[in-house]
């Protein structure tokens, strides 16, 4: 389990950790990560970071095709946990995503679900949709189409085309609901009609 052993007390301590990451990272492999860290560091042992959560989110998205190095994952976990203590739903979502993907070195669907549920309770739309996928594919042990349906409906009603599409799948296959290929087709058509070209690639 990725664990927080350290809470951010000041930027001086964060500087030390980020400097260590720059010292050990393969800058040819982790180009974006190295560049982002380098841009916030100064030679007089200072950092210029206006928003720690925004910085963490940007760092989280760097070099997405690579496995994240442990030291970066540890920094993200600490920042996210600090933000979660303040009630930041996006931090809950991001920490859930870190555990879901396993990019930080630990894939734990139960922890991912825990943080998604926390974010969903604060009406985070992406977390609600993610929970639909968790239960649709049985990530925490068993498939639960009833729960998947609940979350996909809730997300679709808030405008998620991905959730609308998955509801179409559920009606097409008769998962939890009565099989209804006509309704499935209607849902797919609704989804298609609302799609932009950017949405097509995400489904």
């Amino acid at each position: 389990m990725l664990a927080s052993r350290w809470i951010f007390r000041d930027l001086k301590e964060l500087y030390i950790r980020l400097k260590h990451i720059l010292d050990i990272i393969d800058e040819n492999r982790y180009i974006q990560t190295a560049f982002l860290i380098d841009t916030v560091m100064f030679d007089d042992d200072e950092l210029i970071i206006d928003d720690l959560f925004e910085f963490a989110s940007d760092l989280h998205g760097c070099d997405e095709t690579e496995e994240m190095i442990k030291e970066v994952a540890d920094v993200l976990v600490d920042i996210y946990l600090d933000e979660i203590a303040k009630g930041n739903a996006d931090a809950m979502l991001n920490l859930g995503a870190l555990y879901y993907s396993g990019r930080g070195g630990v894939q734990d669907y139960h922890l991912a679900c825990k943080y998604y549920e926390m974010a969903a309770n604060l009406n985070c739309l992406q977390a609600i949709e993610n929970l639909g996928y968790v239960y649709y594919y049985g990530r925490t042990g068993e498939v639960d189409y009833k729960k998947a349906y609940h979350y996909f409906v809730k997300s679709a009603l808030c405008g998620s085309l991905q959730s609308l599409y998955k509801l179409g799948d559920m009606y097409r296959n008769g998962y939890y609901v009565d099989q209804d290929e006509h309704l499935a087709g209607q849902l797919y058509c609704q989804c298609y009609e609302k799609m932009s070209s950017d949405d097509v690639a995400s489904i």
Side-chain angles (χ1 to χ4, degrees):
M1 170 180 172
L2 297 171
S4 176
R5 296 167 300 285
W6 183 86
I7 300 299
F8 288 94
R9 291 180 290 276
D10 58 55
L11 292 180
K12 182 78 169 182
E13 292 182 65
L14 179 56
Y15 179 94
I16 293 170
R17 292 177 72 178
L18 293 180
K19 186 175 186 304
H20 174 64
I21 290 171
L22 280 185
D23 289 340
I24 64 172
I25 200 170
D26 180 348
E27 295 188 17
N28 293 317
R29 181 179 176 188
Y30 296 95
I31 297 172
Q32 297 171 350
T33 300
F35 178 78
L36 177 62
I37 293 174
D38 191 53
T39 59
V40 300
M41 302 189 74
F42 287 80
D43 292 335
D44 53 358
D45 295 354
E46 291 185 3
L47 291 172
I48 300 299
I49 299 177
D50 294 326
D51 186 318
L52 271 180
F53 175 70
E54 183 178 335
F55 169 75
S57 297
D58 290 342
L59 187 61
H60 193 155
C62 287
D63 303 301
E64 289 186 305
T65 60
E66 300 289 345
E67 181 177 335
M68 191 179 292
I69 68 169
K70 181 182 183 301
E71 289 77 6
V72 170
D74 287 345
V75 166
L76 292 181
V77 170
D78 286 332
I79 294 176
Y80 290 153
L81 288 175
D82 282 350
E83 290 294 316
I84 287 170
K86 301 172 188 175
N88 186 330
D90 289 330
M92 300 167 192
L93 173 68
N94 285 5
L95 186 52
L98 191 63
Y99 285 118
Y100 190 92
S101 69
R103 277 194 67 222
V106 175
Q107 189 169 53
D108 189 322
Y109 291 125
H110 290 281
L111 277 176
C113 190
K114 169 188 170 180
Y115 289 111
Y116 286 158
E117 286 176 346
M118 290 171 64
N121 288 335
L122 294 174
N123 297 314
C124 174
L125 177 60
Q126 188 61 59
I128 293 168
E129 179 175 281
N130 288 358
L131 284 169
Y133 283 102
V134 166
Y135 291 112
Y136 186 90
Y137 291 109
R139 298 301 192 201
T140 55
E142 291 185 11
V143 169
D144 190 329
Y145 289 129
K146 181 178 180 179
K147 287 184 178 180
Y149 182 82
H150 165 77
Y151 285 114
F152 284 143
V153 166
K154 190 172 182 180
S155 180
L157 288 173
C158 292
S160 168
L161 296 183
Q162 287 85 354
S163 290
L164 186 63
Y165 189 91
K166 291 308 292 181
L167 287 172
D169 285 348
M170 296 190 78
Y171 279 101
R172 185 188 66 190
N173 295 300
Y175 294 158
Y176 176 63
V177 296
D178 291 334
Q179 189 172 19
D180 189 332
E181 293 187 0
H182 178 69
L183 179 54
Q186 288 181 321
L187 293 172
Y188 292 145
C189 286
Q190 285 181 39
C191 193
Y192 178 78
E193 289 167 1
K194 294 177 182 178
M195 275 185 189
S196 69
S197 57
D198 290 339
D199 292 321
V200 174
S202 65
I203 292 183

